[in-house]
Amino acid sequence: MNILVVGSGGREHALAWAISASPLCDALYCAPGNGGIATVAECVNISGDDIDGLVAFCGEKAIDFVVIGPEQPLVDGLADRLRAEGIDCFGPSAGAAQLEGSKGFTKDICAKYNIPTAAYGRFADAASAKAYVEEQGAPIVVKADGLAAGKGVIMAESNEQALTAIDESFSGKFGDAGAEVVIEEWLRGEEISFFALCDGDNALPLASAQDHKRVGEGDTGLNTGGMGAYSPAPIMTDALAEQVMDEIIKPTVAAMKAEGMPYQGVFFAGLMITDTGPSLIEYNVRFGDPECQVLMMRLKSDVLPALMACKDGGLAHLDLRWHDAAAMTVVMAADGYPGSYEKGSVIGNLDGAGASDDVKIFHAGTARDGETITAIGGRVLNVTGMGPDVQAARDAAYGAVEKVDWPQGFYRRDIGWRALQK
Ligand code: AMP
Ligand code: GLY
C-alpha cells in the first residue's frame, strides 16, 4: 500500500517510523515531514493546511491511506475531502473534530449525554460572560472556544482576572477562536490523559501515557505542547481505565453516533481525577505529541491495521499487543521556547546519541541538508528510551540526551518524576 502521513512533528516521525515497519507498507510519504522523518519516508513539500494540494498528491501517487497527525487539518475538513475522493484515511470528519475545535460543542455533548465534566456556561458576548463570573465567583476557568494553540485557557484565581480574560478574548487576543468563551468550574485533582482508538461504534483503549505540559522542572512555568512523556502511567490502573471507558469514552462514542457524526480516529481525553471520579477536561481528536512517541515505542502489533480498522466497526475484533517495557521521551527544545527562539543552530552527534538499541531519537522541529541537521522549531528532538521499568527508560533517555551536541537547546531533567515517586 502507498501511505501518506500528514504533519511535521515528533508525533508524525513516530507514526511514520512505526508505519514504515509494517509489511503492508510499500511506499511511505510525509507532507511536509522534517529532518528525521526523511530517513523513513519521502518528504513532500505540501503543508497540512493545503487540502487541495494534499488531495492532488494522493491522486498522483495512488495513495491508499492517509494518516492525519495534527488537529488543524482535521478541523478544516481534510478527512471529509479525502473520503469524498474515495481515499481512506485515519482521523475524524470536521463534524466529529469539533470535539477539539469547539470547547462549547464538547461541553454541550457532555451535558446532553450525561458525561462527567466541570459545570459551565457558554457565551457569545462579554456582558453575559461577566455576569456569569459575578454569579459563580472565582476561582474559575475562562476558555476561548476554538483552537488557540494551547494558549486559550485562563485559570482565574480572582474575579478580576476572569473579567480581564473575558475582555481579552472578545477583543481578539485569540483571533476567531475567542469570539465565544466557555466559563467553567475549576476542578481539583490529579490530571491524566487517556487514549482510545474509535471506529464509529467501538472504542479500543491504548496503553497509558502521560506528558508534562509546563516548561520548568517541578511542573512550573509556562504551558508548552509537552516537554516529555512516559508510558505506562502508573496512575492509570486497570480499574480506572475501565471507569473512564464506561463513564466517558463509550458514552461519547454513542453520543457522536446519535448526533450523526460518528467518531473515527483516536480520542485523546484530558481528565481530572476528582474526589467523585474522572471528569472530562477536554478532548483532542489526534494523538498527543509527545505521548504518541512513547506509545509507538511500546506498541508490539503492526500499527497500520489498527489505524485502518478505525472505520465501519473494524475495531470489534482487533486486539493490540504492547511491550511490557516502559518508554520515556525527553523533549529537547530551543533556548527561549515557549517564547521566542532562534532558528538554524546545528545539532551534532545524533547518530552517536541514538546508537543504542534501547534509544530512538524522533525529530520534531528539524531540517536536514545532507547529513547536517539544524533546529528550525521550538520543540526540536524527542529523545526516547526504553527499559524494563520507568526508571530504566529514564536512564536510557537521559543517557542519550547527554550525548546530543546542541548548546542552543535545553530540556527538563525531571520527566517522569510523579511516576518515579510512586
Ligand atoms: P485545555 O486546553 O482545556 O486542556 O486546558 C489546558 C489546561 O488547563 C489543562 O490541561 C488543565 O491543566 C487546565 N484546565 C482546563 N480546564 C480546567 C478545569 N475546569 N479545572 C482545572 N483545570 C483545568
Ligand atoms: N502533549 C499534549 C498535546 O499533544 O496536546
Side-chain angles (χ1 to χ4, degrees):
M1 294 176 59
N2 299 335
I3 315 287
L4 171 67
V5 174
V6 175
S8 62
R11 167 183 52 210
E12 287 76 26
H13 189 182
L15 288 168
W17 169 75
I19 291 167
S20 72
S22 170
L24 299 171
C25 175
D26 297 312
L28 179 59
Y29 301 91
C30 187
N34 65 37
I37 295 174
T39 60
V40 292
E42 185 179 322
C43 293
V44 286
N45 194 13
I46 308 171
S47 140
D49 318 330
D50 181 3
I51 293 187
D52 289 333
L54 291 168
V55 169
F57 178 80
C58 289
E60 235 167 76
K61 297 288 183 186
I63 298 294
D64 299 293
F65 190 63
V66 180
V67 177
I68 305 168
E71 61 276 17
Q72 192 71 56
L74 293 166
V75 170
D76 292 345
L78 177 57
D80 309 70
R81 261 299 289 285
L82 290 168
R83 290 184 184 120
E85 303 278 343
I87 302 160
D88 238 354
C89 65
F90 175 77
S93 65
Q98 290 179 87
L99 284 176
E100 178 164 359
S102 166
K103 294 189 191 296
F105 173 87
T106 302
K107 299 297 287 191
D108 288 352
I109 290 278
C110 288
K112 183 167 171 189
Y113 294 93
N114 224 348
I115 297 165
T117 190
Y120 74 108
R122 209 182 158 175
F123 306 96
D125 67 276
S128 52
K130 287 180 178 177
Y132 184 77
V133 166
E134 301 287 4
E135 176 195 316
Q136 299 292 320
I140 201 158
V141 185
V142 179
K143 301 183 172 187
D145 181 74
L147 294 181
K151 299 190 176 76
V153 174
I154 290 90
M155 312 288 299
E157 310 264 2
S158 66
N159 284 19
E160 291 67 43
Q161 270 179 301
L163 301 178
T164 305
I166 290 167
D167 279 332
E168 287 180 345
S169 192
F170 284 109
S171 55
K173 183 173 181 187
F174 308 112
D176 291 346
E180 193 178 312
V181 298
V182 168
I183 302 182
E184 62 182 45
E185 168 199 3
W186 184 319
L187 298 171
R188 305 289 175 178
E190 189 164 353
E191 211 180 321
I192 57 171
S193 303
F194 190 85
F195 295 89
L197 295 178
C198 186
D199 63 13
D201 286 297
N202 310 288
L204 178 69
L206 302 181
S208 59
Q210 190 57 48
D211 77 340
H212 291 265
K213 289 202 170 54
R214 304 297 193 93
V215 71
E217 278 155 25
D219 295 322
T220 56
L222 293 175
N223 260 323
T224 71
M227 292 300 292
Y230 52 93
S231 173
I235 178 177
M236 185 51 76
T237 59
D238 290 347
L240 180 56
E242 204 176 308
Q243 193 183 2
V244 171
M245 285 298 289
D246 288 344
E247 295 177 9
I248 296 178
I249 304 293
K250 287 179 186 171
T252 307
V253 177
M256 295 305 286
K257 192 174 176 187
E259 295 290 318
M261 297 176 257
Y263 189 90
Q264 304 183 341
V266 62
F267 284 116
F268 165 10
L271 307 170
M272 191 71 86
I273 308 305
T274 70
D275 291 345
T276 57
S279 181
L280 181 75
I281 299 175
E282 64 158 356
Y283 272 124
N284 296 303
V285 298
R286 38 131 187 126
F287 280 106
D289 183 349
E291 292 93 326
C292 184
Q293 289 79 314
V294 288
L295 291 176
M296 291 304 118
M297 284 290 271
R298 292 192 59 221
L299 182 62
K300 213 186 228 178
S301 304
D302 188 344
V303 70
L304 197 49
L307 301 178
M308 293 180 63
C310 290
K311 60 168 190 184
D312 310 331
L315 290 173
H317 303 293
L318 192 96
D319 203 15
L320 288 175
R321 284 169 308 123
W322 301 88
H323 291 287
D324 289 331
M328 181 181 293
T329 191
V330 177
V331 170
M332 297 186 76
D335 284 339
Y337 174 81
S340 61
Y341 51 83
E342 308 249 311
K343 293 182 183 178
S345 54
V346 173
I347 305 168
N349 198 35
L350 284 172
D351 288 343
S356 166
D357 283 344
D358 55 1
V359 170
K360 176 76 199 161
I361 301 180
F362 296 113
H363 291 220
T366 72
R368 170 181 296 269
D369 181 8
E371 289 305 300
T372 305
I373 298 291
T374 52
I376 59 160
R379 292 190 296 169
V380 172
L381 297 171
N382 310 137
V383 182
T384 313
M386 276 195 70
D389 53 28
V390 176
Q391 179 66 52
R394 181 199 180 280
D395 294 344
Y398 278 100
V401 163
E402 279 155 23
K403 292 183 193 149
V404 174
D405 180 12
W406 186 37
Q408 295 85 352
F410 76 97
Y411 56 90
R412 272 181 61 166
R413 286 161 210 276
D414 65 343
I415 300 305
W417 67 271
R418 279 181 211 273
L420 292 168
Q421 250 176 21
K422 280 188 202 286

